[in-house]
Amino acid sequence: MRIVLVADDRILRDGLRALLGRDSTTEVIGEATCGPEAVERVAEHRPDVVLADVGSWTSANVEMIRQIAEAHRDTRIVILSPFRNQAFVAAAFRAGTHGYVVKRNGFDEVLRAIEAVRAGSTYLCPRVRELILPDYTHAHGAARKPADACLTEREAGVLQLLAEGQTSKEIALMLNVSSKTIDACRRQLMKKLEVNSVAGLVKRALAMGITTLAS
């Protein structure tokens, strides 16, 4: 597959190019150091995948991802970032990202992300999946309230994300499932927690201590 690299760090670009060159299925066909240049390179080369190092969530980075995602729907975007912040990850997917890899991972994880997004899937590296769906059993332990204890790990994770303002579509992208799956989970949460609205779920999540942030 054909790849455009985006990174302002030349050592990082050189390293990624060398590593990708060892894989017979990948070919680096262009490089860019900034957002505007990346948009130009993608328009010029029409790559299968854009692999972009994003060290900060600036308006320029947001605009780069949005422009590429909107103008080149067949091009998939994988973000490399040092951050595991939920809001940062959600913003990346809202802008049009298809894969997200924390830079503390090895190169094999980058290849897995590239292969997954090229096949049409979204991808979150394990370090981010752990963040999105934390192990509430260990995190809360005996401090859990009875209503919280009846939730599965996935239900607790989805409840936290809903309470923090994420939409069903955004959560589905993060967890690599369909929006219908998240909608079904939300309905099950409402049934278990005996509420009839997302606002009710937010209040229950706050009461349970699953989140301290509601938008």
Side-chain angles (χ1 to χ4, degrees):
M1 69 191 80
R2 303 177 312 146
I3 298 174
V4 163
L5 293 177
V6 184
D8 60 5
D9 185 330
R10 182 173 178 178
I11 292 177
L12 177 61
R13 289 200 316 276
D14 289 348
L16 287 171
R17 188 192 326 109
L19 289 168
L20 289 166
R22 292 161 50 185
D23 188 315
S24 61
T25 66
T26 63
E27 177 188 6
V28 176
I29 59 172
E31 298 181 23
T33 61
C34 62
E37 187 180 2
V39 172
E40 291 179 5
R41 293 293 174 271
V42 173
E44 178 183 355
H45 296 293
R46 301 297 179 95
D48 300 307
V49 175
V50 173
L51 180 59
D53 175 42
V54 176
S56 62
W57 204 240
T58 64
S59 59
N61 285 329
V62 172
E63 189 61 22
M64 172 190 72
I65 295 170
R66 283 180 177 162
Q67 285 188 28
I68 293 172
E70 291 175 2
H72 307 282
R73 299 195 177 274
D74 291 334
T75 295
R76 311 289 282 177
I77 303 169
V78 175
I79 295 299
L80 293 177
S81 175
F83 300 115
R84 295 174 64 242
N85 179 275
Q86 283 189 5
F88 194 103
V89 175
F93 279 92
R94 278 198 298 270
T97 295
H98 304 97
Y100 194 102
V101 178
V102 176
K103 290 169 72 173
R104 289 178 62 190
N105 286 282
F107 182 66
D108 287 347
E109 195 66 37
V110 175
L111 286 180
R112 279 191 284 272
I114 291 172
E115 291 167 359
V117 300
R118 183 56 183 149
S121 300
T122 54
Y123 189 84
L124 287 170
C125 70
R127 290 179 186 273
V128 176
R129 288 199 297 270
E130 290 169 4
L131 173 71
I132 300 302
L133 282 179
D135 186 343
Y136 285 95
T137 300
H138 291 93
H140 298 286
R144 277 187 168 194
K145 297 183 179 181
D148 190 11
C150 73
L151 302 184
T152 67
E153 183 176 323
R154 167 157 289 190
E155 287 170 343
V158 170
L159 178 59
Q160 180 185 13
L161 292 170
L162 287 170
E164 292 176 356
Q166 307 304 322
T167 66
S168 292
K169 184 176 180 180
E170 289 166 350
I171 297 170
L173 284 171
M174 291 180 192
L175 304 184
N176 196 21
V177 298
S178 70
S179 294
K180 290 183 179 179
T181 297
I182 300 302
D183 288 338
C185 184
R186 186 185 67 236
R187 289 193 295 270
Q188 182 67 12
L189 283 167
M190 289 179 178
K191 181 178 179 180
K192 282 187 175 184
L193 300 179
E194 300 179 343
V195 297
N196 56 14
S197 67
V198 173
L201 288 177
V202 172
K203 290 179 181 178
R204 294 304 298 270
L206 288 166
M208 291 175 188
I210 284 180
T211 185
T212 58
L213 174 65
S215 55

